[in-house]
């Protein structure tokens, strides 16, 4: 089930959050602290969507128009539903508030009324077997098998990054180029070791012949 949701600008300003009941607040107290730490790690170069596993729960987030949408769900909750839920929130939030949400000088939780839509959507997505929600599970839903997945300990305590996989690909390409350059150098050194001495002897022999007969 979707337990809690927050909407935050990438500069750290909270825009909206779900109003959770007292029981949920108690159960998720430590996870909400972790969620704040995750949100602080997000930048414009972060992966657009990712999942972070944390014990019995998972954090899922997406980034859209410089705004992050994060939800805390039971770990068993389908990721397809979680990301579909977040995408729906992003479309509604941007369609309703747009550039207003990016204006400087906004107070925290300036769009607290968005909780009404979040609660309504959460009820729908928390009943995946209901007739009006079966279409959320069909094959047309976005493939999430390639979504970055992290472990909360690796992310917060071992320094893992949420940077885009494209940045990792760039690093791999750079490393590959360095490897190829090093391989060429090693091959040249091997050739020199194999033929270098013979080449020197031949060169000296040619010089000697030239000096003896042509000078």
């Amino acid at each position: 089930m979707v337990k809690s949701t927050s909407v935050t600008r990438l500069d750290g300003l909270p825009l909206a959050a779900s109003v959770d009941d007292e029981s949920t607040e108690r159960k998720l107290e430590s996870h909400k602290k972790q969620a704040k730490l995750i949100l602080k790690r997000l930048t414009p170069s972060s992966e657009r969507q990712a999942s972070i596993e944390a014990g019995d729960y998972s954090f899922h987030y997406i980034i859209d128009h410089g705004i992050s949408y994060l939800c805390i769900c039971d770990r068993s909750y389908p990721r397809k539903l979680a990301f579909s839920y977040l995408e729906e929130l992003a479309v509604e939030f941007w369609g309703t508030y747009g550039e207003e949400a990016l204006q400087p000088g906004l107070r925290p939780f300036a769009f607290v009324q968005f909780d009404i839509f979040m609660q309504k959507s959460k009820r729908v997505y928390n009943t995946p077997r209901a007739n009006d929600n079966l279409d959320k599970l069909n094959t047309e839903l976005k493939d999430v098998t390639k979504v970055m997945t992290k472990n909360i300990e690796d992310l917060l305590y071992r320094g893992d990054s949420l940077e885009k996989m494209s940045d990792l690909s760039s690093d791999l390409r750079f490393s590959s180029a360095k490897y190829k350059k090093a391989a060429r150098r090693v091959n040249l050194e091997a050739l020199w070791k194999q033929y270098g001495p013979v080449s020197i002897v031949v060169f000296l022999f040619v010089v000697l012949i030239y000096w003896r007969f042509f000078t």
Side-chain angles (χ1 to χ4, degrees):
M1 295 178 67
V2 177
K3 297 293 187 179
S4 185
T5 312
S6 62
V7 182
T8 310
R9 284 195 331 205
L10 289 183
D11 62 5
L13 181 71
L15 300 175
S18 59
V19 178
D20 304 322
D21 59 53
E22 189 175 339
S23 174
T24 300
E25 285 288 348
R26 285 198 305 270
K27 290 179 180 178
L28 296 181
E29 182 179 1
S30 63
H31 288 82
K32 286 194 172 187
K33 291 178 181 178
Q34 291 175 333
K36 289 179 180 180
L37 294 175
I38 292 170
L39 292 171
K40 287 182 180 179
R41 299 283 296 274
L42 297 181
T43 69
S45 62
S46 295
E47 189 71 18
R48 184 185 176 274
Q49 58 181 15
S51 298
I52 300 102
E53 298 173 346
D56 294 332
Y57 299 98
S58 291
F59 302 93
H60 306 284
Y61 79 80
I62 66 171
I63 297 174
D64 185 63
H65 291 98
I67 299 170
S68 64
Y69 302 82
L70 180 145
C71 65
I72 304 173
C73 302
D74 291 320
R75 188 164 181 171
S76 60
Y77 189 74
R79 287 204 298 169
K80 282 188 175 184
L81 281 181
F83 284 111
S84 182
Y85 166 71
L86 293 174
E87 292 283 0
E88 195 165 306
L89 294 188
V91 170
E92 179 67 19
F93 188 86
W94 188 255
T96 303
Y97 305 110
E99 296 286 346
E100 181 184 354
L102 303 179
Q103 293 300 316
L106 280 179
R107 69 183 188 281
F109 300 103
F111 307 100
V112 66
Q113 68 273 20
F114 190 64
D115 175 60
I116 297 173
F117 182 82
M118 286 194 287
Q119 295 293 351
K120 178 182 176 182
S121 299
K122 187 166 70 170
R123 284 194 297 271
V124 173
Y125 278 85
N126 280 346
T127 54
R129 291 184 176 84
N131 289 333
D132 60 351
N133 197 38
L134 286 176
D135 61 326
K136 303 296 182 185
L137 291 170
N138 66 25
T139 56
E140 294 179 4
L141 280 176
K142 183 179 298 184
D143 180 15
V144 295
T145 57
K146 296 181 180 179
V147 171
M148 176 190 286
T149 302
K150 294 281 187 178
N151 181 277
I152 191 70
E153 286 80 10
D154 292 336
L155 179 64
L156 299 184
Y157 309 120
R158 298 192 185 111
D160 267 18
S161 172
L162 287 168
E163 297 304 292
K164 291 180 180 177
M165 296 302 288
S166 59
D167 294 340
L168 176 60
S169 298
S170 297
D171 292 341
L172 290 174
R173 286 196 297 270
F174 178 70
S175 299
S176 177
K178 288 176 62 179
Y179 170 79
K180 289 179 180 178
K181 187 175 181 180
R184 283 197 298 270
R185 186 176 67 251
V186 170
N187 288 335
L188 287 173
E189 289 175 355
L191 288 172
W192 172 252
K193 288 179 181 179
Q194 184 175 357
Y195 300 109
V198 176
S199 299
I200 292 174
V201 171
V202 171
F203 176 75
L204 291 175
F205 179 76
V206 171
V207 170
L208 180 62
I209 295 298
Y210 180 82
W211 179 77
R212 181 103 181 236
F213 294 101
F214 298 99
T215 58

